[in-house]
Amino acid sequence: MSLRLGVNVDHVATLRNARGEAYPDPLDAARIAIAAGADGITIHLREDRRHIRDADVAAVKAGISKPLNLEMAATAEMLAIALATRPNACCIVPEKRTEVTTEGGLDVAGQQASLAPMVASLRAAGIRVSLFVDPDPAQLRASAAIGADIVELHTGAYAHGKPDELARLQDAARLAVQLGLECHAGHGLTYANVGPIAAIAEVMELNIGHFLIAQAVFDGLPAVVAQMLALMQAARR
Ligand code: PXP
C-alpha cells in the first residue's frame, strides 16, 4: 500500500511517567507496533519532557528496524538533539507549554526567516524535514519555499467535526504535491474518522498516537495496529 502508518508511542511514556516506573517502555511499544505492521514510529520530545525523555529518543532510534520520525519544536536545543540522534525525519511542530496537545499548525509563513536555517541544517545532516501545518495554501507555499521535504497536514479540526475541513485537507494535499512536497496527515485520527483521510490519494503517511494507545488498553497493541491498517487499506481501495 502506498499509504504508510506511523505509530506515535508518546502516551506509552505518559503512562510510565504517571507512576515513575520503568514500564510500560515506549521502545517495547514501538517494536510491537512494527511487528504488527507499522511502517514507522513517531515520538515527540517536548520541551517539558512530559512523556518522551531524552533517553527514550536514543533508545528508540537504536532499537527499531523502521524509520523514526522525531517531532520537535523549532528550538536550538531540539536541533542539537536531532543532529546528534539522526532520525529518519524530523517533524517540526509548534509547542506551547500550557497546551494538552499540539493545538494548531506551525506558522511557517510568519517564521520563514527563523525556520529556513533549521530546515537547511537538518537536511544537510540527511534528515528529512516535515512541517506540521494547517491545510492552508499560504503555509504550504511557505513550506516549499524554505525547502521542506514534507508537510504533515493537521487533521485536528477535521477530527473535531469542523465543517468543510475535509475539503480543505483534500485541496491542501493536492497543492502540496503540486509544490513538490510529500504529504502526510495526522492528529485526532480514530477508527471512526480515518477513512476519508486515508482515501486522499496524495497522502503518503498517517501519524496516529492517542487513539491507538488508548484502544490498545482494551484490545492490545498488535490488534489495534492491524485494525487501523485494515481500515486505511480499505479506504485506499
Ligand atoms: N502528528 C503530529 C505532528 C502530532 O503532534 C501528533 C500528536 O503528538 C500526532 C500526529 C498524533 O496525534 P494523535 O495522538 O491525536 O493521534
Side-chain angles (χ1 to χ4, degrees), residues 8 10 44 71 91 93 101-102 132 152 186-188 207-210:
N8 179 317
D10 290 350
H44 183 178
E71 292 177 3
C91 180
V93 302
T101 182
T102 314
F132 188 47
E152 180 166 326
H187 210 282
N207 284 301
I208 310 181
H210 183 256

Side-chain angles (χ1 to χ4, degrees), residues 26-226:
L27 172 58
D28 289 340
R31 287 180 170 149
I32 290 167
I34 288 169
D39 301 287
I41 296 298
T42 293
I43 51 179
H44 183 178
L45 183 67
R46 294 187 77 101
E47 211 186 340
D48 62 9
R49 312 305 199 261
R50 70 174 72 154
H51 37 58
I52 293 295
R53 297 170 175 158
D54 299 58
D56 296 321
V57 176
V60 173
K61 172 66 170 61
I64 62 172
S65 55
K66 289 276 170 87
L68 174 64
N69 174 37
L70 177 64
E71 292 177 3
M72 59 184 215
T75 64
E77 182 200 21
M78 290 299 154
L79 177 62
I81 291 168
L83 293 175
T85 310
R86 304 209 172 217
N88 253 75
C90 278
C91 180
I92 303 178
V93 302
E95 206 173 291
K96 294 191 211 100
R97 265 180 189 272
T98 51
E99 71 191 358
V100 174
T101 182
T102 314
E103 282 165 6
L106 192 66
D107 179 17
V108 184
Q111 297 174 50
Q112 285 198 44
S114 58
L115 288 170
M118 188 159 190
V119 171
S121 302
L122 291 166
R123 295 193 76 235
I127 300 167
R128 304 185 77 214
V129 180
S130 174
L131 302 177
F132 188 47
V133 294
D134 290 323
D136 170 351
Q139 300 299 343
L140 300 179
R141 291 201 175 90
S143 300
I146 63 167
D149 301 283
I150 303 161
V151 281
E152 180 166 326
L153 301 178
H154 197 314
T155 52
Y158 159 79
H160 286 119
K162 192 169 171 214
D164 305 329
E165 201 59 20
L166 180 60
R168 283 185 78 208
L169 288 161
Q170 290 164 333
D171 291 348
R174 211 170 303 121
L175 177 60
V177 170
Q178 281 166 13
L179 291 167
L181 294 159
E182 186 172 309
C183 187
H184 299 178
H187 210 282
L189 297 177
T190 67
Y191 289 162
N193 64 25
V194 75
I197 301 300
I200 302 173
E202 291 84 1
V203 174
M204 301 290 292
E205 181 173 305
L206 300 181
N207 284 301
I208 310 181
H210 183 256
F211 173 80
L212 294 176
I213 303 307
Q215 193 63 25
V217 171
F218 303 114
D219 301 335
L221 192 53
V224 168
V225 170

